[in-house]
Amino acid sequence: MLLVFFIGLLAADWLHWSPLADASFLIGSAAAAWYTKQRDLLTVAVSPPLLFIIVLICVKALTATGNVALSAVEGTALTLANVAPWLFIGVVLSLIIAWFRGLARCVAELRRELRPDLPRRQPTGSGDPDGTATVGGYQPAVKRYR
């Protein structure tokens, strides 16, 4: 993602062609969601916009003329305003890809790690072979003995 964002933003700035920045975000975030290991999908789901903004600030600082700070801030704000719809589309696209690759499982594992006291969800309609019942898809904390 970092390399695609950097090259795309740098080329868009030099060529004064903003669709290149849009395309770099779409390609970078979709590729990251597609090629990332399944266990890291949760991180990839939230990192593209943050990484894009960091790279954008760096590119604007590198290509600044005159006052570097003022030029970088102004260029960053204008570019973000210009690519905002594509940022939204890119995030949605990467979330869809990540969802089909197992993002829901990553979220469930995170919930279990954060709240280990919650009962584990079992498939609906299945009981334990030892005679315990499931209530609403959840296994009660106390086992019933016959």
Side-chain angles (χ1 to χ4, degrees), residues 48-67:
L50 178 63
L51 187 60
F52 185 81
I53 290 172
I54 291 170
V55 171
L56 178 61
I57 292 169
C58 292
V59 166
K60 292 301 179 182
L62 286 173
T63 60
T65 57
N67 185 351

Side-chain angles (χ1 to χ4, degrees), residues 26-80:
L26 284 173
I27 292 168
S29 57
W34 184 261
Y35 291 111
T36 300
K37 294 177 185 173
Q38 191 175 18
R39 68 171 190 250
D40 297 328
L41 284 174
L42 195 58
T43 304
V44 169
V46 297
S47 62
L50 178 63
L51 187 60
F52 185 81
I53 290 172
I54 291 170
V55 171
L56 178 61
I57 292 169
C58 292
V59 166
K60 292 301 179 182
L62 286 173
T63 60
T65 57
N67 185 351
V68 175
L70 182 62
S71 181
V73 169
E74 178 186 351
T76 301
L78 290 173
T79 303
L80 281 177

